[in-house]
Amino acid sequence: MTGTHRLSVREKVFLSDAEIHRESDFATAEDLRARVLFHVLFSDELLIGDSQCLNTPLFRALVSPAEARKHGVRGDLGQLLDNGRIQVARRDGLTLREVHASQALREVKHRPDAGYADELDRRIRAHPVSYDFGAVAAAFKSGVLRLIGRRLSEAEGATYDVLERAREWVTGQEPLYFNSVKNWVEGFRTADGSVPAALVLGVDAVDRAAGEAYRQALPTVLGASTAASEGLEGLTDAATRRTVVERTGFAAGVLDPFLLGRIPVDVLLEATEQPSRTALVEELAVMKNGERPDLDRFQEAMAEFSGWTREAFGRAFDATDERELAVLRGRRNLMRYGITEDSLTGTLGAVLDVGPVDDSRNEYLDARFAARSVPVPAAPAAPPAHPPVRQRRRAVIGSAGR
């Protein structure tokens, strides 16, 4: 496509979707593969944390042939680690093998064999990404305390008591590990078989606070957008939102989990080299940074990239499997996109989805691209060597099966 390319930083998205510490809607490796490839399409660098890449069995199956054989799936996404499309963020100074050894000492669940850690260390050597573990630990702890405090403000009785006990315990932990919180929660749940319902509510609130804070901490420190499979409804206020642009009639393959779960990775890599895709990522990055994109360029890029994906998916599946080609040809729904604006703040957001044509729309992903401000206060008594994570503007990209 024509047009001036923006000079911008590379768009980083953190794969919070692949998170073993929270409930997931991924039933199979193909489900996760679809989500991973979707996010690769709409980011320059897709980041995943060292713990997540080690301890998420389905992710391991996608990137390691040895792990793939255990699950009976296609483990071809290691190419995306080799070329840096997927990057693993490691704590400063440690290899994945060393992280694995530390987790073994703490008896972290879902650990792989040490050979997998060695394999990934080799794959990611050319594209190192590191983070300050102290800063992430401080962000995690402060997030847990903030979320517990929010619940305390509206709690009473036994619920209040367990939340207050949790807050005191969390405050005394340095560093605070997610696994330690889970052990604390499980200890509460198994201490007495006749736990009052109000106490159960408090314990569950602590569990949820830990999961959400864990999901937010690392991408916040890395300065990355967060890829989330839920929790996107609050990004914009429907009461103050107006539609700026809405178009439909585009190829919906990039929102189709069945097809994305099976598209050859070479086609995906070819897609990331298309100028129209580059323009889309750049304009979405502008939007997620809270600035105003070039809407004409965005629409031109969307139309051109949709045409390219329609042809590429047809070419790929025509040469592979009749079932995929039948699904591709049988789809009657088309992708639509919308650009909305918050009339109070002027902030723009983008939506990609499949319009309500028939019931098969429920088989698709939909996505929200937006910016929101997330406060991340410093943890109490944070070590001077690790300055507090201050409030910043953090963009969120999400996709969720309906």
Side-chain angles (χ1 to χ4, degrees), residues 315-388:
R315 169 168 39 90
F317 292 129
D318 185 51
T320 55
D321 190 289
E322 292 183 0
R323 185 169 61 138
E324 280 84 356
L325 187 60
V327 169
L328 180 67
R329 291 174 173 170
R331 295 299 200 204
R332 290 174 290 150
N333 290 348
L334 296 172
M335 181 174 69
R336 67 178 176 181
Y337 70 84
I339 305 293
T340 62
E341 181 179 38
D342 188 308
S343 59
L344 296 180
T345 65
T347 301
L348 295 186
V351 177
L352 302 180
D353 66 6
V354 172
V357 178
D358 57 39
D359 290 341
S360 67
R361 65 192 285 267
N362 296 319
E363 300 175 11
Y364 287 86
L365 301 171
D366 58 11
R368 306 285 186 270
F369 304 84
R372 68 175 176 183
S373 184
V374 177
V376 186
H386 304 300

Side-chain angles (χ1 to χ4, degrees), residues 156-354:
E156 57 185 21
T159 302
Y160 183 94
D161 292 342
V162 72
L163 288 169
E164 182 59 38
R165 288 174 64 179
R167 181 163 65 176
E168 292 177 2
W169 178 82
V170 168
T171 300
Q173 300 298 304
E174 195 62 55
L176 177 68
Y177 288 104
F178 181 88
N179 205 41
S180 298
V181 180
K182 295 295 287 186
N183 290 339
W184 187 92
V185 167
E186 290 305 314
F188 236 107
R189 286 174 172 163
T190 59
D192 186 348
S194 58
V195 176
L199 191 148
V200 172
L201 289 175
V203 173
D204 288 347
V206 174
D207 197 11
R208 289 193 298 273
E212 179 62 15
Y214 187 93
R215 187 172 68 85
Q216 301 282 358
L218 184 50
T220 298
V221 170
L222 291 172
S225 303
T226 303
S229 59
E230 57 186 26
L232 299 166
E233 295 79 3
L235 289 179
T236 56
D237 186 346
T240 61
R241 186 174 60 230
R242 71 179 186 89
T243 299
V244 177
V245 174
E246 186 173 63
R247 298 286 186 274
T248 190
F250 298 98
V254 294
L255 299 183
D256 190 321
F258 181 87
L259 297 177
L260 281 176
R262 293 158 177 80
I263 193 76
V265 70
D266 290 345
V267 176
L268 189 285
L269 289 171
E270 185 181 353
T272 62
E273 300 300 325
Q274 301 307 305
S276 54
R277 177 265 178 193
T278 299
L280 273 178
V281 171
E282 289 178 349
E283 297 305 329
L284 287 170
V286 170
M287 193 179 306
K288 288 188 285 178
N289 196 42
E291 301 173 9
R292 196 170 188 88
D294 183 333
L295 293 181
D296 289 339
R297 184 174 185 240
F298 177 90
Q299 293 185 80
E300 179 185 355
M302 177 63 77
E304 186 171 321
F305 187 60
S306 173
W308 185 89
T309 57
R310 187 191 305 273
E311 187 276 331
F313 274 56
R315 169 168 39 90
F317 292 129
D318 185 51
T320 55
D321 190 289
E322 292 183 0
R323 185 169 61 138
E324 280 84 356
L325 187 60
V327 169
L328 180 67
R329 291 174 173 170
R331 295 299 200 204
R332 290 174 290 150
N333 290 348
L334 296 172
M335 181 174 69
R336 67 178 176 181
Y337 70 84
I339 305 293
T340 62
E341 181 179 38
D342 188 308
S343 59
L344 296 180
T345 65
T347 301
L348 295 186
V351 177
L352 302 180
D353 66 6
V354 172

